Amino acid sequence: MNFRYNHSPFSYKRRRTREVKVGDIGIGGNNPIRIQSMITADTRDTENSVRQILELERIGCEIVRLTVPSQPDADNLPNIRKELKRLGSKVPLVADIHFTPSVALKSVEWVEKVRVNPGNFADKKKFAVRDYSDAEYKEELERISEVFLPLVSRCKELGVSMRIGTNHGSLSDRIMNRYGDTPLGMVESALEFIRIAESIGYKDIIVSMKASNPQVMIQAYRLLCSRFLELQMDYPLHLGVTEAGDGKDGRIKSAIGIGSLLEDGLGDTIRVSLTEDPIHEIPVARLLADKFNSKIPPEADGISYSEFRNPYTYQRFYSRPVNIANVLIGETHPVRVETVLPFSSSSDFNSSLANLRNFAKALSLDVELVSVPFPDDPALREELIESAGSSPIPVGVLVERNELLYADDTEDLKPFAKVVVDPFHHFQNGDLLMDFLKTREGRGMTELRVQSYQIESLKGLPEMLQSNGIESVAFSLHSSHILHDYRKLAKILSDWDYPIVLNGEFQDEETALYEASIGIGGLLTDGIGDILRIRVPSAEPETVLQLGFDLLQATRLRLTKTEYISCPSCGRTLFDLQSTTARIKERTGHLKGVKIAVMGCIVNGPGEMADADFGYVGAGPGKVHLYRGKEIVLKNVPYEEADEKLVELIKSSGMWVERESLETF
C-alpha cells in the first residue's frame, strides 16, 4: 500500500490543486483557504433565508449553502436570488442535494455550486446485505451514470461547480457491501462519481470526506489524497467534521479534524459544523483558516524522515509499560493526563490539589499525575519533597532552568515519582546523564524533554540508554510545531519502546484549545502519546485538566462523559435542534461513556450515528424516531414525549445510572 498522501508528514507544504470557481470565488490553486457555512432557515422561507445569508456574508462567510430537499424548495431559489441581488449581495450560493436528481436539475439554474452526496443521489440505503458480482456492480454503476450525467452536463453548460461530498454515515448499501463502513468505502464512493463526471470532460469538482468521528474523517481524507496522487487527480478539498456538536466539544472536534489536515497541507475550503446559530461557525473557521493562510513553509522540509505509520488506520504507537507510583502508562494502559500546579508553599499546594480533585470527582474524572516546577530555593525544595511524600497523587517535578544540574540538585530530584529534565542543557556530557538516570531506576520515571531544534541530537540516545540498562525513561519536546516535530520524535523512537509525553505550552485558554486540538489531538489520532501535559499559566488548573480529557474524548480514546453526535441544523431539520440538544444533555449528561446522536432529519441519521448507542432522529413534523444503534426501536414518537421515551430506552438497555448514585460514589 502507498502510504504517501502529502508532501511530507514532518513539515508543512500545502497540496497543489487545480482552481475551481464558485461564482467569483476561487477554491484551490493559489487562493487562500475559503470559509463557508450553511443556513438553517427553510429554503421556502425567502425572508429568513435571505436574512441568514446576509448575516453570514457580513461576518466574512465567503460561500453559503442552502438545503434543497424538494421541488417547492427549488422553485423558491429564484425568489431568494432576486432578493439577494436587490440587496447587493454577491456571495455565491450552493444547493445541497440528497435523494432527488430532479430537484438538482432545477436548482442548478440558480446557484453557483451544487453539492451531491454519492451515497444517496442515485442509490438507496436500507442496511441491506447483498453480494454483488462484478457484472452486477458494473450494471449498478451504469444505472448511476444515467441518473447523474444529466446534472453534470447542465453544470458544465452553465459553468456551475460541484462538490462530490461523501458522508461516512450515508454510504450506499452497494458501497457498504463491497468496501465496508470504512474510509476506503468513502473514497471509492467519491471516485465513482468523479470518473462519471470526467467521462464528459467535467472537472469543476471539489471533494469532501466527512464523518462525525475526527479519526475516521482524517483517515478518509488522507486515503483520498493518496488515491489522487496515484490517479493524477488534483481536485480541491472541502474539509469538515460533520455532526461535531456544540460548545467547546464541537470546537475541539472540528480543530482536531480540520486543523490537523490543514497542518498536513490538505484542504482548500472549510466548514465548521456546530449545533449553534450559523454565525458562530465563522469565527472558528476564520481562526483555523488564518493560521494556515499566513503560514510559510519551513526551509527544512522533513524529507530526511520517512513514514513510519499506516496513516489510513489507527494503531497505537507501542511503548513499554512504566509504573509511576502505581499509575501505569504505556502498553495498553489509557493515555494519562498530567496537570501542572504551582508550588509556593505546602499549604497552598495541598489546597490547590484538593480543589483539583474535588473538581475532577464532580465530573467523574481522575487526577492521575501532578507536576510542579522544581524550586531553586533549598527550603522550598524540602517542603516540596515532604508534600510529595504525603500526596495521594503521584507528584513529579519539571526542571525548567536553562543551566547545568549539580550534585545537590540531582540528589534532591531522587525522591520524586517523575522528573522532567533536558538531557542536553542539564548535563555536561552523556556519562553524567547516564549516571543520573541509573540513580533514578526503580524510583520513578524520568522524562527527557528536548528543545525542537535538538531533535536530531536524539539519534543514538536510545541505543545508549539500552546499553546502560535504563528502562524508566520517556521522551517529550518543547516545540511550537507540535504535530510535525513529535512525528519526527516518534520516527526516531520507532525501533524502540520508550513512552512519549505530549507536551504543549500555550499563552491563553483559546490558543490552548485550538493549538492543542490541532497538535496533540492530531497526534492522538495517529496513535502517538502515552501522557499528555498542557500548560496555560493564565488558566485555572481545573480548566486545563478538563481540556486534556476533552481531547481524549474527542479522539475516542477515553470516554469520560456522555458523547453527543449532533448535526448543525439546516432547512431539513424537523425540530429546534439547539434547544432539543440542550434538553437531552440536561437529562443524560451524567452517563459516562454513553454515545447519543441527535439528528434533525433522516439524511445523515441512521448512518452517521452508526456507532452511537442511541439515536434521536426527526422523522416528520412533530415526530421522532428513537434508535438503539442502527435499529429503530420506537417510530413516530410525539415530540413532546420523545425525551422521556429516550430515557426509558436507555434504562431498558441497562445503561442508565442515576445522578444521585454517581454523586454518592
Side-chain angles (χ1 to χ4, degrees):
M1 180 181 286
N2 178 15
F3 288 158
R4 186 178 174 220
Y5 63 91
N6 69 344
H7 172 71
S8 168
F10 305 100
S11 65
Y12 176 79
K13 185 175 181 180
R14 188 171 167 188
R15 172 177 169 263
R16 295 178 65 88
T17 76
R18 68 174 55 240
E19 180 187 52
V20 173
K21 285 282 194 176
V22 182
D24 293 331
I25 300 293
I27 294 178
N30 295 320
N31 292 290
I33 296 161
R34 301 295 191 180
I35 292 170
Q36 55 184 286
S37 185
M38 186 173 187
I39 66 169
T40 60
D42 188 326
T43 310
R44 289 168 289 183
D45 183 343
T46 303
E47 182 180 351
N48 274 328
S49 294
V50 169
R51 177 182 57 80
Q52 288 191 10
I53 291 167
L54 293 176
E55 286 175 350
L56 285 168
E57 185 178 17
R58 276 195 292 269
I59 62 170
C61 183
E62 297 171 286
I63 300 168
V64 177
R65 183 159 41 118
L66 313 84
T67 182
V68 191
S70 68
Q71 197 65 46
D73 295 281
D75 290 340
N76 197 48
L77 287 175
N79 297 326
I80 293 173
R81 175 61 76 193
K82 180 180 178 181
E83 185 65 9
L84 288 171
K85 184 177 180 180
R86 185 183 72 81
L87 294 170
S89 172
K90 296 182 179 179
V91 67
L93 300 182
V94 182
D96 193 63
I97 305 295
H98 294 268
F99 305 115
T100 48
S102 61
V103 172
L105 277 170
K106 173 73 175 180
S107 302
V108 74
E109 307 291 329
W110 301 100
V111 295
E112 285 79 15
K113 180 178 161 192
V114 174
R115 181 270 171 125
V116 298
N117 182 344
N120 59 33
F121 185 81
D123 264 333
K124 304 291 185 185
K125 185 172 186 67
K126 298 179 179 178
F127 296 101
V129 177
R130 174 188 168 186
D131 288 328
Y132 287 86
S133 68
D134 289 345
E136 289 172 328
Y137 200 91
K138 184 179 178 183
E139 287 176 9
E140 284 291 291
L141 288 178
E142 290 171 354
R143 179 186 63 80
I144 290 166
S145 182
E146 289 177 7
V147 176
F148 183 45
L149 274 178
L151 175 63
V152 178
S153 297
R154 191 59 180 144
C155 284
K156 186 177 180 182
E157 291 168 4
L158 295 172
V160 172
S161 59
M162 178 184 294
R163 172 159 68 96
I164 295 176
T166 301
N167 269 27
H168 180 229
S170 51
L171 295 176
S172 68
D173 288 339
R174 178 179 51 80
I175 286 287
M176 291 277 284
N177 279 280
R178 175 152 290 200
Y179 299 103
D181 183 16
T182 63
L184 177 60
M186 296 171 68
V187 170
E188 291 301 325
S189 179
L191 288 175
E192 289 177 355
F193 273 60
I194 291 171
R195 291 187 184 103
I196 293 170
E198 286 186 340
S199 71
I200 62 168
Y202 179 76
K203 293 190 175 184
D204 289 329
I205 296 169
I206 298 161
V207 189
S208 64
M209 298 274 119
K210 293 194 178 184
S212 59
N213 183 338
Q215 195 173 96
V216 172
M217 171 258 198
I218 290 168
Q219 292 166 2
Y221 275 105
R222 288 174 178 170
L223 186 57
L224 175 70
C225 289
S226 178
R227 294 286 284 132
F228 276 173
L229 285 169
E230 292 172 4
L231 298 169
Q232 297 184 321
M233 293 179 177
D234 59 355
Y235 296 109
L237 300 178
H238 167 124
L239 303 185
V241 178
T242 191
E243 281 87 40
D246 61 359
K248 187 171 60 172
D249 290 336
R251 286 158 176 79
I252 289 171
K253 283 184 185 178
S254 296
I256 291 172
I258 297 171
S260 63
L261 286 168
L262 290 174
E263 191 78 80
D264 265 342
L266 309 180
D268 305 283
T269 179
I270 63 175
R271 191 265 171 115
V272 174
S273 300
L274 300 177
T275 311
E276 301 176 19
D277 290 338
I279 57 172
H280 297 311
E281 298 179 351
I282 305 306
V284 182
R286 174 60 61 198
L287 189 150
L288 293 171
D290 284 351
K291 172 181 170 66
F292 295 96
N293 283 336
S294 60
K295 197 174 181 79
I296 300 172
E299 292 182 13
D301 60 8
I303 292 297
S304 61
Y305 291 86
S306 59
E307 183 61 89
F308 61 97
R309 317 157 294 163
N310 179 342
Y312 317 126
T313 187
Y314 176 82
Q315 183 175 357
R316 186 166 172 185
F317 190 84
Y318 179 78
S319 63
R320 68 183 64 175
V322 176
N323 190 344
I324 307 175
N326 296 322
V327 175
L328 291 169
I329 68 162
E331 204 175 40
T332 58
H333 301 291
V335 179
R336 305 294 186 180
V337 177
E338 179 179 338
T339 307
V340 180
L341 292 177
F343 190 90
S344 56
S345 69
S346 291
S347 59
D348 287 348
F349 172 75
N350 292 337
S351 176
S352 296
L353 182 56
N355 290 338
L356 186 66
R357 294 184 72 200
N358 288 334
F359 172 84
K361 183 179 179 182
L363 296 178
S364 300
L365 302 176
D366 295 313
V367 179
E368 298 174 310
L369 298 167
V370 168
S371 287
V372 302
F374 187 52
D376 287 328
D377 180 74
L380 207 54
R381 284 187 191 178
E382 288 297 322
E383 205 172 337
L384 173 58
I385 291 170
E386 185 176 339
S387 293
S390 60
S391 171
I393 306 297
V395 176
V397 289
L398 301 100
V399 181
E400 299 187 305
R401 68 188 194 193
N402 196 17
E403 57 188 52
L404 294 174
L405 291 173
Y406 296 102
D408 57 339
D409 299 316
T410 56
E411 187 66 26
D412 288 343
L413 290 171
K414 283 183 181 179
F416 293 100
K418 183 170 177 287
V419 172
V420 182
V421 295
D422 187 317
F424 304 118
H425 287 157
H426 294 151
F427 299 91
Q428 197 164 26
N429 55 53
D431 290 339
L432 291 175
L433 172 63
M434 291 302 126
D435 289 343
F436 171 71
L437 294 176
K438 287 175 183 176
T439 66
R440 291 278 304 153
E441 282 293 297
R443 295 175 179 270
M445 190 180 81
T446 304
E447 176 188 329
L448 303 179
R449 181 178 62 178
V450 304
Q451 304 295 318
S452 59
Y453 67 87
Q454 291 186 303
I455 294 175
E456 290 286 326
S457 301
L458 286 172
K459 293 178 178 178
L461 184 55
E463 290 89 339
M464 187 183 298
L465 294 171
Q466 185 184 53
S467 65
N468 281 273
I470 307 297
E471 295 187 348
S472 299
V473 166
F475 286 85
S476 69
L477 298 174
H478 184 280
S479 172
S480 58
H481 304 288
I482 295 174
L483 189 69
H484 295 140
D485 284 345
Y486 264 98
R487 284 178 181 164
K488 293 175 185 176
L489 173 64
K491 170 59 181 175
I492 291 170
L493 298 177
S494 59
D495 292 329
W496 308 91
D497 57 1
Y498 293 105
I500 292 176
V501 179
L502 303 179
N503 173 62
E505 302 178 26
F506 311 102
Q507 62 185 8
D508 56 57
E509 289 180 32
E510 182 179 66
T511 303
L513 187 147
Y514 290 106
E515 293 293 336
S517 296
I518 294 169
I520 294 175
L523 291 164
L524 291 171
T525 63
D526 277 344
I528 298 170
D530 302 286
I531 299 174
L532 65 87
R533 179 178 62 242
I534 298 170
R535 297 187 69 182
V536 187
S538 61
E540 295 296 326
E542 291 80 3
T543 301
V544 181
L545 173 77
Q546 188 170 6
L547 175 58
F549 280 103
D550 285 345
L551 288 173
L552 294 174
Q553 176 94 11
T555 52
R556 303 285 182 94
L557 296 183
R558 288 183 73 175
L559 296 182
T560 53
K561 58 185 177 182
T562 316
E563 174 72 4
Y564 294 99
I565 303 164
S566 59
C567 65
S569 187
C570 68
R572 291 186 300 265
T573 302
L574 297 164
F575 50 77
D576 186 318
L577 201 62
Q578 293 178 47
S579 62
T580 301
T581 302
R583 280 200 326 273
I584 291 174
K585 283 188 171 184
E586 180 65 27
R587 295 292 302 275
T588 63
H590 63 291
L591 301 177
K592 182 176 179 178
V594 176
K595 298 190 285 291
I596 299 174
V598 184
M599 300 293 185
C601 73
I602 205 68
V603 167
N604 293 329
E608 202 59 70
M609 65 185 197
D611 67 341
D613 300 305
F614 303 97
Y616 182 113
V617 180
K623 301 293 183 182
V624 173
H625 288 343
L626 295 180
Y627 287 73
R628 184 191 291 114
K630 296 179 183 178
E631 177 190 0
I632 297 181
V633 178
L634 295 171
K635 289 186 176 182
N636 297 315
V637 178
Y639 178 70
E640 298 77 16
E641 302 173 15
D643 294 13
E644 191 59 42
K645 293 293 184 183
L646 174 64
V647 171
E648 291 175 8
L649 178 60
I650 297 171
K651 287 180 177 179
S652 68
S653 302
M655 299 181 74
W656 183 266
V657 179
E658 297 295 340
R659 288 183 190 271
E660 291 76 16
S661 62
L662 268 176
E663 289 167 2
T664 301
F665 173 77

